[in-house]
Amino acid sequence: MLPTTSTEQGFSIEEATVRDLQLAFQRNQLSSKELVEFYLERIQTLNTDLKAVLEVNPDAVAQANIADQERKDKPHGSFSALHGIPILLKDNIATKDKLNTTAGSYALLGSVVPRDAGVVTRLRKAGAIILGKATLSEWSNFRSNNAPSGWCARGGQGKNPYSKGDPCGSSSGSAISVAANMVTVSLGTETNGSILCPSGYNSVVGIKPTVGLTSRAGVIPISPRQDTVGPICRTVSDAACVLETVVGIDTNDEATIEASKYVPEGGYSQFLREDGLSGKRLGVVRSYYNFGNGTFMHKTFQLHLETLRQRGALLVDNLKIDNIVEINMDQSEDIALEIEFKLALNAYLNDLVASPVRSLADVIEYNKNHSEQENLDEYDQDLMLESEKTNGFGETLNQALLNLKKLSQDGFEKLMIANKLDAVVIPFSRFSKILAIGGYPGIIVPAGYEEGVPFGICFGGLKGSEPKLIEIAYSFEQSTKIRKPPPIHK
């Protein structure tokens, strides 16, 4: 039986935003302890089916008690927006506590991390409660081409709470849990599509930040050039709140120093403007709208484009990315990721205080020796095997990186600059490769349901354009209010 969603004081927890919860704390309608206990009970009830949560933090209730006491001691104190708010972390984000960090694999079970991930340090400083670890596509979908999205050996197959089907990945559990009200907010990671796709599939908001805006230190990597950590939440306002909490310089991740120039003074919540679409130039690349006239999707996205116009945006329509065929055919991303994964993973494993595995070769061997546990016969480990064959920095990688840079400059950057665009607007997460290879940001918000299955609309921009993207996404969200919770009856 699902826990009641209202407190004795009549406050409804389900679908509550961070702001709603903070007001409830102030009015003594809710405590952090009650909030944590609500989510723990809901996880216990729903997780056997949805498989969104890998572990819950045994110290979560104690952390909630501390937050409640802090507010009691300083009734007029100034607290962070995330103070006393539970958050789930994708299981590739390290926590130096009683939780494991395993990327969903048994190979890392019992490994000891040297410190909290950079983003976790910021969350703890803000007073957020680490509720637990979310499931994911194992190794962030870089073990095998044959494993389904949302599957990992430790957690099983995650399910979309709307369709009970594909949740998309690799940040599947982060999206499922937020969608199903098993937590307030969550963090995911993206190398290519891993925040945007599951957010769209599960009717939630996901922000893929500019690479380097958020620290990747202490995150089990694929590629330092493409990896980024971002929020998955039910609303744009919650996503902005989480983003402003976790951005900033971390000396353990050099990319954050360069990207810090993009962090706006005063945070991201200041860009939650209902008139955020007014005067924005939005590009419509029609090759991504190939639904066929008269189809449900065609009609829906035509309506959305009209909404953007009505809210004051100028649509620059019928645009083309000159080198789109080249981008789609080019193998440079795959070549680069295979080389980078081995280098980055070996460095991560080497930095662990204790671990059953110390290299990619060890992980491959572990999977062979535990083939039943890791479902090796069915899903294999072809990506890992290909990566292990690579031999590090050299001409192959250099050429791949040059290609990717040229594809980005001649494609997306040229489109944005030539047309003076603030953002492009694209159905679903179809633009994820272009955003991935250039390190650009994107935000996806709920756009509708086809026979009950959710889909999203994505806004992408040049590096550091998060303020504009948040203005655009928030204005669209407020004018459409499409999200509805999944039909969970248990």
Side-chain angles (χ1 to χ4, degrees):
M1 182 132 161
L2 278 173
T4 176
T5 60
S6 294
T7 66
E8 286 175 15
Q9 289 76 24
F11 177 78
S12 178
I13 297 173
E14 193 173 6
E15 294 291 294
T17 64
V18 167
R19 182 174 158 72
D20 295 335
L21 295 169
Q22 290 298 352
L23 284 171
F25 292 157
Q26 286 170 26
R27 293 168 180 165
N28 292 320
Q29 293 176 304
L30 179 71
S31 68
S32 289
K33 182 175 185 252
E34 285 174 316
L35 185 59
V36 165
E37 286 175 342
F38 168 81
Y39 288 135
L40 291 176
E41 199 179 333
R42 201 163 163 97
I43 289 166
Q44 196 174 6
T45 309
L46 296 177
N47 202 53
T48 46
D49 183 35
L50 298 180
K51 293 184 168 47
V53 181
L54 207 46
E55 294 183 19
V56 293
N57 186 355
D59 295 329
V61 174
Q63 286 178 21
N65 284 331
I66 291 167
D68 288 333
Q69 191 61 49
E70 284 171 347
R71 280 195 304 273
K72 204 172 175 183
D73 292 345
K74 290 185 185 173
H76 305 294
S78 175
F79 294 104
S80 144
L82 289 184
H83 184 271
I85 301 290
I87 184 166
L88 275 170
L89 308 173
K90 185 176 179 180
D91 182 47
N92 60 346
I93 300 172
T95 52
K96 185 76 172 161
D97 53 16
K98 291 171 187 167
L99 292 164
N100 284 288
T101 306
T102 67
S105 167
Y106 283 106
L108 277 175
L109 194 59
S111 62
V112 180
V113 300
R115 64 194 77 85
D116 277 335
V119 289
V120 176
T121 302
R122 289 183 177 274
L123 288 169
R124 291 200 202 275
K125 193 178 169 189
I129 295 160
I130 309 301
L131 189 65
K133 294 291 177 77
T135 56
L136 69 168
S137 307
E138 190 173 298
W139 295 105
S140 297
N141 217 15
F142 216 80
R143 184 187 112 177
S144 162
N145 279 312
N146 299 315
S149 272
W151 176 87
C152 63
R154 285 190 62 216
Q157 178 62 57
K159 283 186 198 169
N160 185 315
Y162 293 87
S163 66
K164 295 300 171 72
D166 185 3
C168 200
S170 64
S171 305
S172 45
S174 303
I176 297 164
S177 56
V178 166
N181 282 276
M182 295 158 87
V183 71
T184 312
V185 291
S186 71
L187 275 186
T189 67
E190 175 151 334
T191 308
N192 181 338
S194 288
I195 288 173
L196 297 176
C197 186
S199 297
Y201 270 49
N202 294 279
S203 201
V204 289
V205 175
I207 299 180
K208 173 218 184 273
T210 301
V211 171
L213 199 68
T214 52
S215 171
R216 292 82 47 83
V219 176
I220 299 172
I222 293 177
S223 159
R225 183 183 46 80
Q226 283 187 205
D227 294 346
T228 186
V229 180
I232 297 178
C233 307
R234 287 184 290 273
T235 62
V236 177
S237 63
D238 283 0
C241 172
V242 175
L243 183 64
E244 67 190 11
T245 305
V246 296
V247 296
I249 291 174
D250 177 3
T251 51
N252 292 317
D253 181 356
E254 278 182 24
T256 60
I257 299 165
E258 168 67 15
S260 66
K261 67 186 178 192
Y262 298 129
V263 179
E265 206 173 317
Y268 291 99
S269 295
Q270 64 186 307
F271 302 106
L272 299 167
R273 295 174 40 216
E274 291 215 17
D275 65 349
L277 277 161
S278 184
K280 294 290 192 297
R281 288 176 64 87
L282 303 183
V284 180
V285 182
R286 282 288 168 182
S287 59
Y288 290 95
Y289 290 77
N290 54 346
F291 300 120
N293 288 342
T295 61
F296 172 75
M297 284 297 178
H298 175 80
K299 288 176 187 169
T300 301
F301 279 97
Q302 286 307 108
L303 275 174
H304 289 334
L305 294 178
E306 190 51 41
T307 297
L308 296 171
R309 274 193 202 96
Q310 286 172 357
R311 294 299 288 239
L314 176 72
L315 295 194
V316 187
D317 207 342
N318 297 307
L319 294 180
K320 289 189 174 85
I321 295 173
D322 289 343
N323 61 352
I324 191 67
V325 175
E326 205 184 330
I327 290 170
N328 290 334
M329 299 291 286
D330 191 84
Q331 297 298 302
S332 298
E333 184 190 19
D334 294 341
I335 291 164
L337 292 180
E338 279 177 1
I339 297 168
E340 291 164 331
F341 178 61
K342 180 180 176 181
L343 294 167
L345 183 63
N346 285 353
Y348 173 88
L349 295 173
N350 207 39
D351 197 36
L352 294 173
V353 176
S355 176
V357 288
R358 287 292 182 184
S359 65
L360 175 57
D362 289 351
V363 175
I364 290 167
E365 198 56 34
Y366 179 93
N367 291 340
K368 283 181 189 166
N369 294 335
H370 302 82
S371 59
E372 198 172 326
Q373 191 182 46
E374 284 289 336
N375 216 352
L376 196 65
D377 291 346
E378 191 175 356
Y379 298 148
D380 67 54
Q381 53 180 338
D382 60 310
L383 287 174
M384 286 187 162
L385 292 169
E386 286 305 309
S387 180
E388 180 55 29
K389 287 178 195 169
T390 64
N391 54 10
F393 294 107
E395 188 49 39
T396 307
L397 180 59
N398 290 341
Q399 191 54 56
L401 298 184
L402 278 173
N403 290 350
L404 291 173
K405 193 173 181 181
K406 191 172 185 318
L407 289 171
S408 294
Q409 286 172 342
D410 296 350
F412 185 54
E413 285 185 28
K414 184 179 167 188
L415 175 87
M416 292 292 291
I417 294 162
N419 294 284
K420 300 184 173 64
L421 300 178
D422 293 301
V424 291
V425 52
I426 303 283
F428 322 140
S429 58
R430 289 178 165 183
F431 214 59
S432 64
K433 177 171 181 172
I434 286 173
L435 298 177
I437 63 173
Y440 310 117
I443 180 167
I444 194 164
V445 295
Y449 304 86
E450 186 174 36
E451 296 178 355
V453 181
F455 56 91
I457 187 168
C458 182
F459 304 97
L462 294 175
K463 288 181 183 180
S465 63
E466 282 83 355
K468 284 181 186 176
L469 296 179
I470 287 167
E471 285 181 334
I472 292 162
Y474 182 74
S475 184
F476 175 82
E477 176 199 54
Q478 292 304 298
S479 62
T480 55
K481 297 201 170 163
I482 286 164
R483 176 179 156 76
K484 56 189 178 190
I488 293 167
H489 307 290
K490 188 147 181 178

